[in-house]
Amino acid sequence: MAAAGLRGLAGLPRRGLRPAAALVSISLISGCGVLSSDDSDEEQQITVGTMSAPSTLDPAAAWDSSWELYRNVFQTLLSFPSGAAEPEPDAAESCKFTDGSNQVFTCELREDLKFSDGHEMDAQAVKYTFDRMRRIDVKGGPAGLLGSLDSVETKGDRTVTFRLKKPDATFPFVLSTPAMSIVDPREYPADKLREGSTIAGSGPYSLKSYQAGERAELVKNTNYKGVAERKNDAVTIRYFKKSATMVEALRDKQIDVTFRGLASQDVVDMQANKNAREGIQLVEGSGTEIRYLVFNPDDPWARKKPVRQAFAQVIDRPAIAHKIYQDTVEPLYSMVPQGLTGHGTGFFDDYGDPSDSKAANILKNAGINQPVPLTLWYTTDRYGSATEGEFKEIKRQLEASGLFKITIKGRPWTEFDAGTKKREYPVFGRGWFPDFPDAENFIAPFIGEKNVLNTPYPSREITDEVLPRSRREADRGAVADDFEQAQKVLVDDARLLPLWQGKQYIMASEEIAGGERALDPSAIMMMWELERKTSW
């Protein structure tokens, strides 16, 4: 494939992708018209509430929603500016594949880049970042995204070349993820994770102060050079445990914006109750967030395919979406969500509507004649307040069939995540916000002996055939058949069970503009898009 240009970024697909959160603003402001924003000499400060506190401040360790903070304080070579459906240069001035087979990718950095601490950010820092991540290789960490990377080379202070083991047209998308945040070699040890509560990055903001689980205070990084146009001067991020508490803080004007973790009941109340929504706007749109269950092959019951298939036959996704989430989510029958090339309905095609009798026959034919005992685990503080109710509904459905005996248990995220790394849970729930908007990112991270779930899932058909073939194709709209094949494997194994696909909601004070622009395709908030309206 010949290299071509796109604002300096070559060989990237244009078809088959849509931003993960195509948000539109639904006005819930009582008695107000459209507002405009003017320049103001007053310092613009915004306070954002979320339920996704970082698990670590070191990018080499995190493959989770810590990325929300990273996106705002670190810089990547490529990123997704507001409205973009494909990556564009950020710390880089230009990037492109420089061979004909998508195996050599070269970036030229912007001139005179600096970290927030004043240290130079050059090609050697970029190489150091990638070599460090792979050397430390945190279990379940972001190094798993670099499976196709062979080596990183530099030429002078501004040129970085990535040599890949095999063709991979998705590599520019990987470089755009906050996992590839460039770190300061003087501040981040080469062979171990950095400790402490400070960050040295080159992103739009500097981290002024940080209290784990409580708040992060961001101020403009005066050394920043990149694509972000900061519409405010400072952002405080407050971390909440409950959606209701977060929404109440918004009503009381303690915060200006809420995102990530909003409970369906709070969204529905805001939509329906005029008094509740006075002075508040709701920004709503489609998204590619998913929820799914994982079956552990180490467990004597979860390892049995007939058990997993019977489980899949009983699950009533529409009931979960309606009863627990009040239709603020949609049933999902594929690991690849709607809106991306490769989406399918494999679980519905194979299992149809929930059926206790069909599930009973699956178990009977496998010689299983007793209720199957399984313990289902969930995290109590990562995915929103409705998670407990969701698992209670799953327990109710399974036990109502008479085929299962279910125990449910929950843990806070840090303990829950540690348990997954030790492979303690027979069945557990996880959520996934895409690293980048491509069907591959809803399949590849979960497959192979080493994956983000720390639950080995060997599948040679996917890892040795489907993924290498699809990665040779720069036009991502042309890989639907590959991902249809991959999903047939996933449906047959029933090792991963998709449940629902979420919509995206932001609640904000009527004084705040920019919510509809603030989410990138991975539904990560770009805090610099938020601003306080200064004229009415």
Side-chain angles (χ1 to χ4, degrees), residues 347-368:
F347 277 93
F348 184 82
D349 298 340
D350 279 27
Y351 294 95
D353 292 324
S355 171
D356 296 345
S357 61
K358 289 181 180 179
N361 285 334
I362 292 172
L363 294 176
K364 182 179 179 181
N365 291 337
I368 301 173

Side-chain angles (χ1 to χ4, degrees), residues 351-394:
Y351 294 95
D353 292 324
S355 171
D356 296 345
S357 61
K358 289 181 180 179
N361 285 334
I362 292 172
L363 294 176
K364 182 179 179 181
N365 291 337
I368 301 173
N369 299 304
Q370 67 178 88
V372 176
L374 285 173
T375 300
L376 277 55
W377 285 82
Y378 66 95
T379 176
T380 57
D381 59 355
R382 171 63 54 165
Y383 301 128
S385 305
T387 306
E388 180 180 3
E390 176 182 354
F391 273 73
K392 287 181 177 178
E393 171 61 16
I394 292 172

Side-chain angles (χ1 to χ4, degrees), residues 45-63:
Q45 299 191 40
I46 308 289
T47 302
V48 176
T50 178
M51 287 181 63
S52 289
S55 61
T56 172
L57 295 186
D58 192 328
W63 198 347

Side-chain angles (χ1 to χ4, degrees), residues 194-393:
R194 185 175 190 257
E195 299 179 353
S197 58
T198 60
I199 284 177
S202 60
Y205 297 96
S206 301
L207 183 63
K208 179 181 179 181
S209 67
Y210 179 75
Q211 294 175 268
E214 297 293 332
R215 68 176 59 219
E217 294 188 10
L218 313 182
V219 295
K220 273 187 176 180
N221 175 9
T222 56
N223 291 324
Y224 173 69
K225 289 185 178 181
V227 297
E229 297 181 11
R230 293 165 294 191
K231 297 179 173 65
N232 58 65
D233 299 292
V235 175
T236 296
I237 306 172
R238 287 184 52 189
Y239 301 111
F240 290 83
K241 301 293 186 184
K242 295 182 179 181
S243 172
T245 307
M246 184 166 65
V247 173
E248 188 62 30
L250 176 65
R251 291 196 182 104
D252 290 345
K253 298 186 180 299
Q254 297 174 20
I255 61 177
D256 301 302
V257 181
T258 66
F259 177 61
R260 193 76 81 202
L262 284 169
S264 56
Q265 187 62 55
D266 291 320
V267 172
V268 171
D269 287 348
M270 192 64 64
Q271 290 171 328
N273 188 330
K274 181 179 179 180
N275 292 330
R277 68 183 186 237
E278 185 173 358
I280 295 175
Q281 55 184 317
L282 182 70
V283 181
E284 174 185 336
S286 61
T288 51
E289 166 194 1
I290 70 169
R291 291 289 188 278
Y292 60 99
L293 297 176
V294 183
F295 291 82
N296 186 350
D298 293 343
D299 182 77
W301 285 104
R303 69 175 10 146
K304 299 177 187 291
K305 182 191 271 191
V307 168
R308 302 195 301 267
Q309 291 175 326
F311 193 116
Q313 185 63 73
V314 170
I315 287 296
D316 187 342
R317 294 170 178 82
I320 295 171
H322 181 68
K323 293 174 61 176
I324 306 303
Y325 292 98
Q326 301 185 67
D327 301 317
T328 58
V329 305
E330 300 178 23
L332 183 63
Y333 298 92
S334 158
M335 286 298 289
V336 179
Q338 297 181 53
L340 296 180
T341 294
H343 168 69
T345 55
F347 277 93
F348 184 82
D349 298 340
D350 279 27
Y351 294 95
D353 292 324
S355 171
D356 296 345
S357 61
K358 289 181 180 179
N361 285 334
I362 292 172
L363 294 176
K364 182 179 179 181
N365 291 337
I368 301 173
N369 299 304
Q370 67 178 88
V372 176
L374 285 173
T375 300
L376 277 55
W377 285 82
Y378 66 95
T379 176
T380 57
D381 59 355
R382 171 63 54 165
Y383 301 128
S385 305
T387 306
E388 180 180 3
E390 176 182 354
F391 273 73
K392 287 181 177 178
E393 171 61 16

